[in-house]
Amino acid sequence: MDMIRFVILTVSDSCSKGEKDDEAGPELMSLINNHFGNTSKIEHVEILPDEKSQIKDFLKKWSSHNRSDVIFTVGGTGLSPRDVTPEATKSVIEREVPGISLAILCKSLEITDMAMLSRSVTGIRNNTLIINFPGSTKAVGECFGFIKNVIPHAVALLKNEENLVSDFHGRLQGRRSVSPSKVKTNLVAQRSRVSPYPMVEVAHAIDLILKEISATRETENVDIAESLGRVLAENVYAKDPVPPFPASIKDGYAVISSDKEGIRNVREEAAAGDKPVDQPLQPGEVIRISTGAPLPLGADAVVQVEDTDLIKASDDGSIEMEVKIKVAPRPGQDIRPIGSDISVNSVIIEKGALLTAGHIGVLATVGHHTVAVFRKPCVAVVSTGNELQSPHEKLKPGHIRDSNKLTLLNLLKQYGFEASDAGIAKDNPDSVKAVLTFAFDENDVVVTSGGVSMGEHDLIKQVLVEDFDATILFGRVNVKPGKPTTFATCTFNGRRKFVFGLPGNPVSALVTGTLFVLPGLKKMENYENLRPPVISVRLNKKMILDPRPEYIRARLRKCSNDDILEAIPTGNQISSRINSFVGASALVRLPAKNSQGFGEICDEGTVLEAILIQPLSIEYV
Ligand SMILES: Nc1nc2c(c(=O)[nH]1)N[C@H]1C(S)=C(S)[C@@H](COP(=O)(O)OP(=O)(O)OC[C@H]3O[C@@H](n4cnc5c(N)ncnc54)[C@H](O)[C@@H]3O)O[C@H]1N2
Ligand code: MOO
Ligand SMILES: [Mg+2]
């Protein structure tokens, strides 16, 4: 039996601030060590406050990329308003395992009625089991005792790939197991020797995607703190004016402008955050004021400290008594009137905005704690191929590491989309069908890589058509890399699903993910700008043209004597060489060989279109 890797997260405001020692976490650690001995490893322990987003991020991190087998959370399961561990857990798990929480509850109730007040959840994310324990040291000991015997078996089932895609999921959640595929693979000699799919141009392929995918109408309310990168689903109005009171723009003195220049008594101080002074300012008086502080009643201008002299102070220097206003102030000088930044009830952000840090600042300023945004598409990423292994495993002969899954998951993440890892399908129709079935169960979009070209083991299209009655909208694109890129749609359990079948070559997967998947997901989420940012670049090296238009990876450089950025290809551009992306900021589009105005080569200095993939990385020379 493999080593079981545990992670322990103590959730407690007071322990995280160091006001209290964490006893339950270390207790659980020693229980694990005593019970599992050297068949276990504590990968990581951490203490976090009762903050949903922090707990969520932690659970996501430790259940990604095969980092751990079991995560125990300790604490935050009760009824107090700060107890959010179950909510954080529910928001990350892909499947619940209610039996474990139920067992904990039933057995705990035999000890104390108080067990009713723990809302513990258990579930699975990727291949990791996440179990909530209550926070008391005693409860942790009891709960561990109730479930310790099922852990090795649960972990073994989660780790076994074959079970993962067929049997185990079905049994664990009472779902059907997937019936065999209709695709027959034994007649290799009778396979089609030319692709039946017409070759479509890139622009046409994108049009087909955008026509087929409709923008969601489903919305949800999210806390503004979690709204970065979301598309606003309603116009947002200002509830309050900004500033909500006339505010000083400078550090200086609030004055009556008609007093003009001269010597004044300094009455008191008005600092930012102070209650507005209630006694109106009288002629001959000034009030010391700081930037952002409310203007005292009676004052109608602010004079910055630089335009004053100190005339008289208390002996110890702690009180200013008289100052000289050196320059006569204008009425309204250095004051932001009420609503001068944002007037009340005005539309401050329009529906359709893609929320940025600036937008979120605006929402916070006018007092919106939540906003309605469009639902994000649920996306699953699947790899295919018997040769693939997790990058975390030791490489077996004839195998390679599955790089596409992480590449594509992170491409989507980089553009703000949430995607889940739906596993690796073997090159047989039953496995492809099972993996797609589970991916369709919980997702709107499935992005696969591999298995779309002409080989007898390339089964994606056939399984989609024969087992899911899918329509292939295109199955070949006139682009290098990415020729066999496939886009299909089907109905699964009454809902429309979309499949991007990307080619298996690592560069092809990433280029076509950028060209085709991103616009589709943007459309679904109601983005206004669906296409990637395109700029003009000057090729700095002669390139041999391919019969297909080609997207090459290039670094970008700004030369002081040229307005156009220079594009430097990142070495060999073969579609297996994913390192051509290292340092690349753009995909430069080379025209097809012998296309209008071109022969077999593209000369150095030619100005071409490029898609920005890393807008912030440009060299300056
Ligand atoms: N007779 C023809 N053969 C090929 C054609 C063709 O038109 N006629 N097209 C070529 C082109 S272009 C491409 S691109 C590839 C695409 O192949 P598939 O999408 O079927 O992908 P696979 O055959 O499964 O794998 C190709 C290549 O990529 C490696 N791979 C696959 N998945 C991963 C992964 N997750 N991580 C890393 N590497 C992966 C795989 O091992 C193969 O080396 O087909 C050409 N053939
Ligand atoms: O079109 Mo393939 O994607 O050349 O490598
Ligand atoms: Mg293939």
Side-chain angles (χ1 to χ4, degrees):
M1 146 108 218
D2 283 350
M3 180 93 87
I4 304 178
R5 297 157 309 155
F6 291 93
V7 167
I8 300 172
L9 170 65
T10 300
V11 182
S12 156
D13 283 335
S14 49
C15 292
S16 81
K17 282 191 220 141
E19 293 167 2
K20 220 176 94 186
D21 285 339
D22 174 23
E23 287 172 9
E27 167 71 6
L28 181 56
M29 196 152 55
S30 69
L31 288 168
I32 293 172
N33 286 331
N34 290 342
H35 183 73
F36 292 107
N38 54 12
T39 62
S40 66
K41 184 173 174 221
I42 309 278
E43 279 292 332
H44 186 77
V45 292
E46 189 148 332
I47 304 175
L48 287 177
D50 294 273
E51 287 295 341
K52 188 175 164 194
S53 59
Q54 289 189 40
I55 304 169
K56 227 170 101 177
D57 289 347
F58 180 92
L59 295 177
K60 276 188 171 171
K61 173 174 167 191
W62 284 99
S63 59
S64 292
H65 316 315
N66 192 23
R67 277 208 186 93
S68 69
D69 300 309
V70 181
I71 305 176
F72 285 113
T73 68
V74 176
T77 64
L79 306 188
S80 97
R82 295 282 297 160
D83 288 332
V84 291
T85 308
E87 285 64 38
T89 307
K90 279 189 196 150
S91 71
V92 301
I93 58 176
E94 291 149 359
R95 303 154 215 286
E96 267 205 62
V97 189
I100 291 182
S101 298
L102 196 61
I104 291 174
L105 176 62
C106 294
K107 292 181 186 242
S108 303
L109 282 173
E110 289 171 15
I111 300 169
T112 167
D113 285 348
M114 292 304 154
M116 284 182 231
L117 305 183
S118 166
R119 303 179 301 115
S120 298
V121 167
T122 303
I124 300 160
R125 183 167 182 278
N126 296 324
N127 295 4
T128 303
L129 189 61
I130 304 175
I131 304 173
N132 295 160
F133 277 175
S136 92
T137 312
K138 178 172 170 289
V140 163
E142 290 160 1
C143 293
F144 182 76
F146 303 145
I147 63 159
K148 63 184 185 214
N149 292 337
V150 301
I151 287 176
H153 193 53
V155 170
L157 289 169
L158 282 167
K159 273 187 171 172
N160 184 320
E161 244 173 51
E162 295 298 328
N163 286 349
L164 181 76
V165 293
S166 52
D167 215 39
F168 161 68
H169 276 177
R171 271 191 283 136
L172 198 60
Q173 306 138 50
R175 291 198 307 200
R176 72 210 175 294
S177 59
V178 178
S179 59
S181 165
K182 293 180 196 155
V183 174
K184 298 282 166 272
T185 50
N186 52 351
L187 302 174
V188 61
Q190 292 177 16
R191 72 183 153 137
S192 165
R193 302 191 91 75
V194 283
S195 172
Y197 296 99
M199 190 89 107
V200 301
E201 297 302 322
V202 170
H204 183 50
I206 295 174
D207 287 346
L208 286 170
I209 292 166
L210 297 182
K211 189 164 154 247
E212 208 57 35
I213 293 183
S214 40
T216 186
R217 297 280 128 237
E218 290 175 55
T219 63
E220 60 187 1
N221 283 317
V222 294
D223 192 293
I224 57 166
E226 315 249 324
S227 68
L228 184 69
R230 303 297 299 261
V231 180
L232 198 61
E234 61 185 1
N235 285 340
V236 175
Y237 294 85
K239 288 183 181 175
D240 299 313
V242 179
F245 47 78
S248 175
I249 294 176
K250 293 281 177 65
D251 298 313
Y253 297 88
V255 303
I256 299 169
S257 59
S258 55
D259 281 355
K260 308 222 166 74
E261 63 269 52
I263 294 176
R264 306 276 170 265
N265 293 326
V266 182
R267 205 175 82 187
E268 57 194 307
E269 187 203 8
D274 284 355
K275 215 166 85 217
V277 175
D278 41 16
Q279 285 300 314
L281 195 65
Q282 299 301 318
E285 287 179 344
V286 297
I287 287 182
R288 206 164 71 244
I289 194 163
S290 43
T291 305
L295 196 74
L297 228 54
D300 68 345
V302 169
V303 176
Q304 62 176 7
V305 67
E306 294 90 329
D307 293 339
T308 66
D309 283 335
L310 178 68
I311 301 297
K312 193 168 157 201
S314 61
D315 289 346
D316 64 358
S318 65
I319 301 170
E320 288 182 345
M321 296 164 81
E322 283 179 11
V323 290
K324 182 175 174 192
I325 305 296
K326 296 199 287 185
V327 186
R330 281 176 293 103
Q333 168 177 301
D334 280 340
I335 295 169
R336 288 153 64 219
I338 293 177
S340 55
D341 293 345
I342 298 172
S343 58
V344 66
N345 293 331
S346 59
V347 175
I348 41 163
I349 313 178
E350 286 183 20
K351 179 177 171 178
L354 185 62
L355 296 176
T356 60
H359 288 118
I360 294 170
V362 171
L363 292 168
T365 301
V366 296
H368 282 276
H369 335 147
T370 60
V371 274
V373 293
F374 287 110
R375 179 172 80 80
K376 275 197 166 299
C378 294
V379 189
V381 177
V382 166
S383 291
T384 67
N386 289 349
E387 73 279 31
L388 301 180
Q389 276 185 221
S390 155
H392 302 86
E393 290 164 2
K394 192 159 170 267
L395 208 52
K396 291 183 261 186
H399 283 60
I400 59 162
R401 299 188 180 92
D402 172 6
S403 61
N404 289 353
K405 188 132 48 63
L406 280 181
T407 309
L408 292 168
L409 285 169
N410 284 288
L411 169 74
L412 301 182
K413 193 171 173 184
Q414 190 181 335
Y415 285 87
F417 295 106
E418 284 161 15
S420 59
D421 175 348
I424 300 174
K426 300 278 180 200
D427 288 325
N428 69 69
D430 292 348
S431 179
V432 173
K433 182 182 172 191
V435 170
L436 287 178
T437 301
F438 292 125
F440 285 150
D441 253 349
E442 290 168 0
N443 296 284
D444 312 298
V445 175
V446 179
V447 181
T448 65
S449 68
V452 284
S453 191
M454 293 296 291
E456 67 276 24
H457 303 295
D458 293 335
L459 299 164
I460 292 286
K461 289 175 168 106
Q462 285 184 71
V463 170
L464 281 172
V465 172
E466 293 186 38
D467 291 316
F468 296 97
D469 201 17
T471 306
I472 308 277
L473 290 136
F474 59 83
R476 261 188 329 150
V477 185
N478 188 25
V479 65
K480 184 181 176 179
K483 183 169 63 168
T485 305
T486 299
F487 175 60
T489 174
C490 64
T491 303
F492 182 90
N493 286 346
R495 290 186 76 110
R496 224 136 168 237
K497 307 285 167 181
F498 299 95
V499 181
F500 291 89
L502 310 183
N505 275 319
V507 174
S508 319
L510 185 46
V511 169
T512 55
T514 307
L515 290 179
F516 304 113
V517 180
L518 293 178
L521 298 183
K522 288 177 177 176
K523 171 82 188 279
M524 207 172 252
E525 203 184 331
N526 286 275
Y527 275 55
E528 279 168 358
N529 299 322
L530 304 178
R531 288 162 211 267
V534 172
I535 57 164
S536 292
V537 296
R538 192 186 302 286
L539 193 61
N540 103 322
K541 183 173 180 279
K542 177 174 94 178
M543 297 294 287
I544 298 170
L545 297 177
D546 188 85
R548 292 172 269 163
E550 181 173 359
Y551 286 86
I552 58 163
R553 280 69 63 208
R555 298 189 349 246
L556 293 181
R557 193 156 69 181
K558 171 83 180 82
C559 304
S560 51
N561 56 354
D562 194 350
D563 287 342
I564 297 184
L565 292 173
E566 191 181 35
I568 307 146
T570 52
N572 186 341
Q573 299 286 320
I574 187 170
S575 58
S576 53
R577 191 176 165 266
I578 187 71
N579 36 330
S580 61
F581 268 97
V582 174
S585 314
L587 299 176
V588 180
R589 186 184 180 280
L590 297 181
K593 179 159 121 181
N594 297 326
S595 57
Q596 219 184 5
F598 290 91
E600 306 219 330
I601 56 160
C602 185
D603 285 324
E604 177 187 336
T606 309
V607 175
L608 297 168
E609 270 189 2
I611 293 175
L612 275 181
I613 53 172
Q614 297 291 352
L616 295 180
S617 93
I618 295 173
E619 298 158 44
Y620 292 85
V621 287

